[in-house]
Amino acid sequence: MIDHNWHWGHKVLEVRPSGPLEEEDFRILTAQVDPVISEYGRLNGLLVDARDFAGWESFATLVCHCKFVRDHHRYIHRIAVVSDHGLLGYMPRLVDHFVSAEVRPFPSADYTRALEWLAEPG
């Protein structure tokens, strides 16, 4: 399941996985994100609070996740990944080659700084 919360008038979307991700999670996110992109042209930022990331329910879910990224990355200016997991700290460097958004990792203690960075003009 992915919980989500909008900040600063639909300019920044925060997502928090809680349990293994499911295909339905990406249908729900698409239904939330697409109207905002249609109205504003893009999102200033996406905060991925991955402190409790538990992976994907199935390979099909991983494919849905990749499709979501493929279909939306051009419309997101910045992505902040909040996690203390060592591997997730490297994830921004890996995905930076595949997405047009600027991606940065933040430790859990810097959650507020991550949100502030997403709200900065740029």
Side-chain angles (χ1 to χ4, degrees):
M1 177 172 181
I2 298 178
D3 297 319
H4 65 278
N5 185 38
W6 288 101
H7 297 274
W8 296 290
H10 290 89
K11 292 180 180 177
V12 173
L13 176 64
E14 176 181 356
V15 294
R16 291 172 312 283
S18 58
L21 299 178
E22 301 173 2
E23 291 181 55
E24 180 65 14
D25 294 328
F26 296 99
R27 285 189 277 281
I28 292 168
L29 278 179
T30 298
Q32 287 290 314
V33 169
D34 285 357
V36 174
I37 290 172
S38 291
E39 184 173 344
Y40 298 106
R42 72 176 190 158
L43 300 179
N44 281 7
L46 173 66
L47 185 139
V48 180
D49 185 344
R51 291 179 275 195
D52 296 323
F53 180 64
W56 300 269
E57 179 186 59
S58 65
F59 181 75
T61 304
L62 174 60
V63 170
C64 282
H65 190 170
C66 292
K67 287 179 181 177
F68 180 85
V69 171
R70 178 198 67 203
D71 294 344
H72 294 91
H73 77 93
R74 288 180 226 68
Y75 305 104
I76 301 171
H77 181 63
R78 291 180 172 161
I79 300 172
V81 179
V82 176
S83 175
D84 291 326
H85 191 280
L87 181 60
L88 288 175
Y90 289 102
M91 188 270 303
R93 290 186 200 130
L94 296 173
V95 301
D96 194 42
H97 300 288
F98 304 103
V99 300
S100 59
E102 182 181 357
V103 183
R104 283 193 192 171
F106 290 86
S108 297
D110 288 344
Y111 169 88
T112 301
R113 176 67 192 120
L115 271 176
E116 290 169 352
W117 176 69
L118 293 172
E120 291 173 2

